[in-house]
Amino acid sequence: MAPPPSTTKSSKTTIAYATDPSKITMADKIMGALSILMFVSTWISSLLSPFLLLRALYKGQYVWANIIIGITLVAYAPGDQKGPMAQEFHKFVWYYFPRYFQSLTVEYEGGIPPKKNSDDTSTPASNQQQQQPQQQTFYAIHPHGAFSFGWATLFCHPDLEQVRFCFAPALYASPFFRLFSRSTGTPGSASKSEMIRYMKLGNDIALPPGGFEEATLTSPNHDRVFIKKRIGFVKLCLQHGLAIRPVYCFGEKALYWNLQGGFDFRINVLNKNGLPAIVTWGHPLIPLLPRSNVDMKIVVGAPMVMPKIEDPTNEVVKQWHDKYMAALTKLFEDHKESYYGPEIAKTTKLELW
């Protein structure tokens, strides 16, 4: 078990958020479990929504059919603005979600990102340097884990409320999770065409580039990322002039047990056809929930500033992809000791698949 994350501020890293384990009550844990259970169950059931609608119609259960249709209409309503109910729901999720875990911190190298188009003049003088305007940014979040809890935490984080968090197009198109995510942040589709559209609009973007493959590789005994073949996001960032900030979520791997082995078939057949290939077990009593006795430490790396090259060659893309993998590895190396402790850190390496 990792030691509780430090809440001190160094010249290199800024602590943006930290729970105090001594102040987390049992009620906090229960409400946190409820918020996470809503997140995971909505994720799973949302993919089944077409079948649930057809079943309701076939069985003559028109009340349920109308509820599903109503949720779909609300989920697809235009605009990203949240009403009062959605804002209160977001506050509920953001307050209790992190308190489910043993502890949770969010740290930034290179400063907390400034909020764009903000007229807020209340920023303390000590933070003014780190709040200077910065290049449009792509947050590459690792590891994906079984259900991307690091990604979900940042999705709800007030510091990143203007970032468009992207995920699988099929999941984004499904009404239940689409509505849930619109109530808790600013979601988007990870399809190439939509990513390009967001970039042209000037959006900052967050995405777990490892995708289903990285989820498949999840193991509580290994820090793994699926990145060697994930070159597309680097090319898009070069074409549209985005900086890339590597993000590593220490503790993500420990949240669920996941079946190991058979990776060739699971990655090259199931994942390649857009199918998840995880067999997981989380909390001993409620396996859908993650383990709660885990310290979570999410580190957002400093921006890797990149040039804008409208038509980069394959060689140039590979050069910047290599630089990204080196930056991600360095981020892991720089913070592994503070999370794992000096003895475990000596033998812990980041596996690049």
Side-chain angles (χ1 to χ4, degrees), residues 205-225:
I205 296 171
L207 176 75
F212 283 160
E213 290 83 354
E214 201 165 271
T216 299
L217 294 171
T218 296
S219 166
N221 301 317
H222 300 275
D223 286 277
R224 293 170 173 164
V225 295

Side-chain angles (χ1 to χ4, degrees), residues 1-5 250-252 254 294-297 335-341:
M1 181 56 57
F250 291 92
E252 182 82 52
V294 175
D295 294 298
M296 297 284 287
K297 177 181 177 180
H335 292 272
K336 68 179 184 180
E337 184 172 329
S338 68
Y339 182 78
Y340 288 117

Side-chain angles (χ1 to χ4, degrees), residues 1-280:
M1 181 56 57
S6 168
T7 56
T8 60
K9 182 183 289 187
S10 68
S11 58
K12 184 175 181 180
T13 304
T14 301
I15 307 296
Y17 177 84
T19 58
D20 184 347
S22 66
K23 295 182 179 178
I24 297 176
T25 67
M26 182 55 68
D28 290 337
K29 287 278 189 181
I30 294 172
M31 297 303 284
L34 177 61
S35 65
I36 287 176
L37 197 58
M38 285 191 293
F39 169 72
V40 176
S41 59
T42 303
W43 180 318
I44 295 172
S45 64
S46 198
L47 296 175
L48 301 175
S49 56
F51 304 102
L52 295 175
L53 176 59
L54 291 175
R55 183 182 183 279
L57 292 172
Y58 177 76
K59 295 285 188 179
Q61 299 171 339
Y62 298 115
V63 172
W64 286 109
N66 286 329
I67 289 174
I68 294 172
I69 293 171
I71 290 173
T72 303
L73 292 174
V74 175
Y76 275 86
D80 290 324
Q81 295 298 318
K82 300 178 181 63
M85 288 183 63
Q87 292 177 22
E88 290 302 315
F89 181 67
H90 181 202
K91 290 178 183 177
F92 168 83
V93 172
W94 170 241
Y95 182 82
Y96 288 110
F97 190 101
R99 285 165 172 77
Y100 174 79
F101 306 103
Q102 184 159 282
S103 67
L104 187 147
T105 63
V106 179
E107 304 182 7
Y108 290 90
E109 289 186 352
I112 300 172
K115 292 187 178 181
K116 296 180 179 180
N117 301 322
S118 175
D119 297 325
D120 183 15
T121 58
S122 62
T123 302
S126 60
N127 290 341
Q128 286 178 356
Q129 183 176 358
Q130 69 186 24
Q131 294 290 339
Q132 294 301 313
Q134 64 177 23
Q135 187 178 10
Q136 188 180 354
T137 303
F138 185 103
Y139 296 85
I141 303 172
H142 304 274
H144 183 288
F147 291 104
S148 298
F149 283 98
W151 175 94
T153 299
L154 295 178
F155 182 46
C156 299
H157 199 296
D159 288 335
L160 300 177
E161 61 185 7
Q162 295 183 351
V163 176
R164 189 169 290 279
F165 281 74
C166 299
F167 47 90
L171 189 59
Y172 181 66
S174 55
F176 300 160
F177 195 76
R178 186 186 182 99
L179 181 60
F180 182 94
S181 59
R182 287 187 64 179
S183 300
T184 51
T186 306
S189 169
S191 68
K192 182 178 179 180
S193 60
E194 285 296 281
M195 297 277 285
I196 291 173
R197 185 173 73 86
Y198 301 145
M199 290 179 177
K200 288 182 177 180
L201 289 172
N203 293 163
D204 289 340
I205 296 171
L207 176 75
F212 283 160
E213 290 83 354
E214 201 165 271
T216 299
L217 294 171
T218 296
S219 166
N221 301 317
H222 300 275
D223 286 277
R224 293 170 173 164
V225 295
F226 188 87
I227 191 61
K228 288 185 177 179
K229 295 181 180 180
R230 286 292 192 262
I231 297 178
F233 76 98
V234 175
K235 184 176 182 179
L236 286 178
C237 288
L238 282 169
Q239 290 175 323
H240 297 276
L242 274 72
I244 301 179
R245 295 187 77 160
V247 181
Y248 198 82
C249 308
F250 291 92
E252 182 82 52
K253 72 174 188 180
L255 297 177
Y256 289 89
W257 171 86
N258 180 43
L259 180 68
Q260 298 298 289
F263 290 134
D264 283 344
F265 173 76
R266 292 162 69 182
I267 290 175
N268 297 321
V269 178
L270 297 179
N271 293 157
K272 207 166 190 178
N273 287 283
L275 299 172
I278 58 174
V279 180
T280 63

